[in-house]
Amino acid sequence: MRRKTLQVNVDSVIIGSEYPIVIQSMTNTDTADSKSTVKQIMQLADAGSELVRITVNSADAASQVANIREQLDAKGYKVPLIGDFHFNGERLLKDFPECAIALAKYRINPGNVGKGAKGDQKFAFMIEKAIEHKKAVRIGVNWGSLDQQLATRLIDENNALATPLSNEKVIQKALVMSALQSAQKAIDIGLPKDKIVLSCKVSNVQELITVYQDLASRCDFPLHLGLTEAGMGSKGIVASSAALAILLQQGIGDTIRISLTPQPNESRTHEVIVAQELLQSMGLRSFMPLVTACPGCGRTTSTFFQKMAMEIQDYLRNQMPNWRLHYPGVEDMKVAVMGCVVNGPGESKMANIGISLPGTGETPVAPVYVDGEKTVTLKGDKMVADFIDIVEEYVQSHYANNIDNKKTNKKVFDIKAES
Ligand code: SF4
């Protein structure tokens, strides 16, 4: 059951418990380089990112934000942009009002706004800008830049106790307090409660779970989840999935980002795909048909079926920008590509479309199952192309009439999000 929260409207995207969990990503281009930034935002949006965060760290960056928004609009990309502000956010919002207007949400890190009265003034100025322009704000606390004054005070208070908590526990408490106190400050300044999203990111899986459970129990703001500095490759994916899956299963989390460090030359869109696959694997949202494939074993020593499974998954992914528009509901389609007769026919029958490839020593033919019935047996070099033709035919015959049901699908989608 999703935790009940307020609903925060970020342009066309609504964040909160009655709405599907929103996927976010962040560019790694220099925002001052508008051409590269627009290109990467479009790639992220095409991959399925529903909100995109961009760094706004300098006058050069801030001066390009409105231009980036205009270029995206001209190309038909409506994806809302979030400005990531740190040490000089108030100055940039003041000096570049067009930037303040073009952004849909401001991300403010209270630990990097400044100390004491000056920090309070800077924070207040940014919140006032959000109020003036009717923007949402994410108060994003990060353990790497935690409000040091607050942390020091809590550590001193803790040390004075007869049975002090561990420093780890105190820091976790400080993270949650920093987020909640900053949210209250923003409300006191005049920001409506339903303009606030909170996050408290740490890089340790167990700590992230503890911090978010605590945060979720203390407020009804929507929460943005992410394991910060998750790392590269499978380590980053596994750590992020482990942490986020537990929280999502407990109904905690309204937007997510998978903070992967890309491999050299790897597309930034990988973090979006991982986020989609996490939500879809958990049955919380559907984005594209997923391929069920067996791991392979000594019964199928050929790599043909592995290549086929990959080619089919790539094909399905590449079709989605078009299929999403014309074949609503196709994202729930299940396709199976299996390596031999042991589990092949059974798994194929459970999918919408499945193929059971020949294992070592089996007759070199591949039966295809459609809605549980064996329909045709493929063989020869054109097996992948022939199977793709069958998939295409299935999509056109089963989902083309779903346009009118888009609303119904949305309803199902919403019910899933609530479960
Ligand atoms: S379906 Fe066949 S090839 Fe695939 S893992 Fe099972 S026994 Fe091995």
Side-chain angles (χ1 to χ4, degrees):
M1 183 79 169
R2 271 286 277 290
R3 165 181 160 265
K4 280 279 169 208
T5 71
L6 297 161
Q7 290 162 14
V8 176
N9 195 337
V10 182
D11 282 355
S12 52
V13 178
I14 302 179
I15 302 171
S17 58
E18 287 170 37
Y19 288 83
I21 296 162
V22 173
I23 291 182
Q24 299 195 27
S25 60
M26 185 170 183
T27 56
N28 62 354
T29 52
D30 179 356
T31 307
D33 177 356
S34 65
K35 194 174 164 199
S36 300
T37 303
V38 166
K39 186 176 168 198
Q40 193 173 73
I41 293 169
M42 292 192 318
Q43 289 167 346
L44 291 166
D46 283 340
S49 185
E50 292 152 319
L51 297 172
V52 177
R53 183 155 50 114
I54 58 175
T55 302
V56 188
N57 60 334
S58 65
D60 286 345
S63 70
Q64 289 305 310
V65 171
N67 175 24
I68 289 168
R69 180 71 271 166
E70 277 167 26
Q71 286 189 54
L72 290 169
D73 288 342
K75 292 172 192 290
Y77 283 78
K78 299 293 174 200
V79 60
L81 299 180
I82 304 166
D84 196 52
F85 294 100
H86 288 278
F87 311 98
N88 53 0
E90 89 296 346
R91 188 152 39 85
L92 297 176
L93 286 171
K94 176 168 169 275
D95 293 348
F96 298 93
E98 67 283 4
C99 164
I101 293 165
L103 292 168
K105 181 154 75 103
Y106 308 157
R107 185 272 170 121
I108 304 174
N109 180 343
N112 282 344
V113 171
K115 292 181 186 149
K118 199 169 173 203
D120 287 345
Q121 276 175 10
K122 288 165 79 175
F123 180 80
F125 185 87
M126 295 177 81
I127 296 297
E128 282 161 8
K129 280 288 156 197
I131 296 167
E132 178 187 341
H133 297 299
K134 297 185 171 51
K135 302 296 181 182
V137 167
R138 168 155 72 92
I139 294 173
V141 179
N142 191 306
W143 84 306
S145 50
L146 178 60
D147 179 339
Q148 288 306 308
Q149 275 182 315
L150 176 65
T152 307
R153 180 167 65 76
L154 291 181
I155 287 171
D156 289 346
E157 286 174 8
N158 182 60
N159 288 341
L161 295 174
T163 49
L165 299 170
S166 66
N167 271 355
E168 208 175 70
K169 288 278 170 216
V170 178
I171 295 295
Q172 289 171 11
K173 194 173 157 191
L175 282 160
V176 173
M177 277 184 70
S178 177
L180 293 175
Q181 288 178 357
S182 299
Q184 189 55 52
K185 270 189 211 168
I187 292 165
D188 293 344
I189 293 163
L191 188 68
K193 272 190 92 177
D194 64 359
K195 291 284 184 191
I196 299 174
V197 176
L198 296 185
S199 67
C200 270
K201 293 191 180 179
V202 299
S203 59
N204 175 284
V205 170
Q206 296 295 351
E207 287 184 26
L208 190 90
I209 294 166
T210 304
V211 165
Y212 269 92
Q213 286 171 333
D214 189 19
L215 184 61
S217 71
R218 292 171 185 269
C219 69
D220 60 357
F221 298 112
L223 301 182
H224 169 67
L225 297 189
L227 184 77
T228 192
E229 293 111 30
M232 296 181 78
S234 60
K235 187 265 172 188
I237 295 170
V238 170
S240 293
S241 303
L244 268 55
I246 288 172
L247 291 166
L248 292 167
Q249 188 66 15
Q250 294 172 353
I252 298 170
D254 305 288
T255 78
I256 66 169
R257 180 187 173 212
I258 307 290
S259 300
L260 294 180
T261 308
Q263 310 273 4
N265 302 320
E266 184 184 36
S267 168
R268 190 70 166 172
T269 56
H270 192 205
E271 66 174 59
V272 178
I273 292 164
V274 173
Q276 289 177 330
E277 290 180 346
L278 173 62
L279 294 179
Q280 187 153 353
S281 302
M282 293 187 70
L284 297 172
R285 285 189 66 178
S286 294
F287 298 93
M288 71 184 69
L290 291 183
V291 172
T292 301
C294 74
C297 69
R299 287 180 179 272
T300 178
T301 48
S302 141
T303 56
F304 177 77
F305 96 94
Q306 298 162 341
K307 286 185 194 150
M308 181 168 184
M310 200 182 297
E311 281 179 45
I312 301 292
Q313 184 68 77
D314 287 347
Y315 180 82
L316 298 173
R317 192 185 306 288
N318 292 336
Q319 296 313 302
M320 275 316 288
N322 175 41
W323 282 0
R324 200 175 286 129
L325 296 176
H326 302 291
Y327 306 108
V330 71
E331 61 275 8
D332 287 317
M333 183 174 73
K334 291 186 175 54
V335 178
V337 179
M338 298 294 290
C340 85
V341 76
V342 171
N343 291 328
E347 196 71 57
S348 298
K349 282 181 195 168
M350 302 229 264
N352 295 91
I353 311 171
I355 184 165
S356 177
L357 293 161
T360 308
E362 292 177 20
T363 313
V365 293
V368 173
Y369 297 81
V370 176
D371 290 333
E373 300 293 329
K374 185 172 154 187
T375 54
V376 66
T377 300
L378 300 180
K379 57 184 167 187
D381 297 342
K382 281 177 67 243
M383 211 183 274
V384 174
D386 290 345
F387 187 68
I388 284 174
D389 285 346
I390 293 169
V391 170
E392 271 291 349
E393 200 177 298
Y394 187 90
V395 170
Q396 286 170 26
S397 61
H398 286 71
Y399 300 100
N401 295 329
N402 278 6
I403 300 283
D404 293 340
N405 292 337
K406 248 184 168 171
K407 236 178 172 171
T408 313
N409 291 340
K410 176 78 167 64
K411 184 78 179 158
V412 169
F413 186 59
D414 287 350
I415 290 166
K416 272 189 183 177
E418 284 172 20
S419 64

